[in-house]
Amino acid sequence: MARRVRPIAHEERLSLVEHLDELRNRLILSLVAFGVALGLTFWQNHLVLRIVNHPLNGRKPITLGVAEPFMTTFTLSAYAAILIAMPVVLYQLYAFILPAFTPGERRVAMPLLMMIPFLFIAGVVFGYYVVLPAALKFLLHFNTDQFRVEIRARDYYGFVTTTLIACGALFQIPVGILALNRLGVVTPRQLRKNRRYAIVVIAVIAMLLPGVDPVTMLIEMVPMLALYELSILLAVAFGRPAEDVSDRIASAEGS
């Protein structure tokens, strides 16, 4: 495995079997990373539970079955392991697809790919410290005089993990927009001109994300709008110059 899992040059030609062998080895390494992370998180499941239960301000979720405490703990440990192993998984994905890029395209892609793990972690941190407390404060105190509110562990942990993963995914907005700009699909001028349409799209995305309450929706919209504006600044600073795009289009039409 060590011989095959290595950087592949762009000029190197691999057969279909060699590509599948490379993919298999990358998947095995990703699964090993997940397995190690799962062993760590299940071993330290009390710490994981304390961290996830912290936004409840002392309230403990309830379980309703004999096996539910174990299965819920194991499921939460698996979610935490996915978050921990994500940088390794992303690296294996990048290492598999990068040989398809030319050296010039690789110089464009590498800075974008390096941003993804850091933005994902930033999104998870933002979701934990900003989105979750506000969402729980609103949801758990809504019509409390009409309901006896109990928090089921399985539902709560599912809500937490999907919210954090969604926040991590949302923080990839600058990477996607900057990639489109470097490829010449959009320009900073177009991004500024279509800002109002972007706001509508961001509002729809925030509405479809975990947490159906308006407070969570508004809180999730704020970083997306900020990231969109950051994407415009990055596109101006690091994107493909407008003249390069025009030259490329002109040469394509001429051919």
Side-chain angles (χ1 to χ4, degrees):
M1 181 185 300
R3 183 177 63 86
R4 293 299 305 147
V5 180
R6 70 189 197 284
I8 306 297
H10 177 70
E11 297 79 12
E12 190 173 350
R13 296 293 181 263
L14 301 180
S15 65
L16 176 61
V17 174
E18 289 173 323
H19 277 298
L20 293 176
D21 185 52
E22 180 76 12
L23 177 61
R24 181 197 63 184
N25 291 332
R26 300 290 180 189
L27 290 175
I28 290 174
L29 287 176
S30 299
L31 290 174
V32 169
F34 171 74
V36 172
L38 178 59
L40 176 65
T41 54
F42 191 73
W43 172 50
Q44 295 292 332
N45 65 81
H46 294 289
L47 175 61
V48 175
L49 287 168
R50 283 200 300 270
I51 292 174
V52 179
N53 289 340
H54 179 72
L56 294 177
N57 296 321
R59 300 179 61 175
K60 289 186 177 181
I62 63 172
T63 55
L64 303 178
V66 175
E68 190 170 344
F70 172 80
M71 292 304 301
T72 302
T73 301
F74 183 82
T75 302
L76 179 61
S77 300
Y79 286 140
I82 291 174
L83 294 175
I84 294 175
M86 188 62 67
V88 177
V89 175
L90 292 174
Y91 171 78
Q92 296 302 323
L93 174 63
Y94 306 155
F96 181 73
I97 65 175
L98 273 181
F101 292 88
T102 64
E105 292 171 336
R106 189 174 301 188
R107 286 193 295 270
V108 174
M110 281 301 296
L112 301 179
L113 298 179
M114 292 297 293
M115 290 172 60
I116 293 178
F118 296 102
L119 288 174
F120 183 84
I121 294 173
V124 171
V125 172
F126 176 84
Y128 181 79
Y129 285 103
V130 178
V131 177
L132 275 180
L136 293 175
K137 182 178 181 180
F138 175 84
L139 293 173
L140 295 179
H141 293 84
F142 184 78
N143 272 355
T144 52
D145 55 335
Q146 302 295 326
F147 300 97
R148 179 182 175 182
V149 180
E150 298 288 350
I151 305 171
R152 186 172 182 178
R154 184 177 64 185
D155 297 334
Y156 170 68
Y157 297 143
F159 174 79
V160 170
T161 52
T162 52
T163 299
L164 295 183
I165 292 175
C167 289
L170 287 176
F171 271 60
Q172 308 303 314
I173 290 176
V175 175
I177 294 180
L178 187 56
L180 292 175
N181 177 244
R182 294 300 296 265
L183 293 173
V185 178
V186 296
T187 64
R189 182 179 179 182
Q190 291 173 327
L191 293 173
R192 295 191 188 98
K193 182 179 180 181
N194 297 318
R195 183 181 281 111
R196 55 185 177 183
Y197 300 110
I199 294 175
V200 174
V201 173
I202 287 173
V204 173
I205 294 174
M207 181 179 63
L208 297 176
L209 289 174
V212 296
D213 60 284
V215 174
T216 305
M217 176 181 170
L218 292 174
I219 292 176
E220 289 172 337
M221 280 186 63
V222 171
M224 284 193 285
L225 293 173
L227 290 170
Y228 183 80
E229 297 298 328
L230 175 62
S231 302
I232 297 177
L233 296 178
L234 291 175
V236 172
F238 303 107
R240 181 187 295 269
E243 56 270 18
D244 291 350
V245 178
S246 301
D247 293 341
R248 192 183 68 167
I249 295 175
S251 61
E253 291 176 348
S255 60

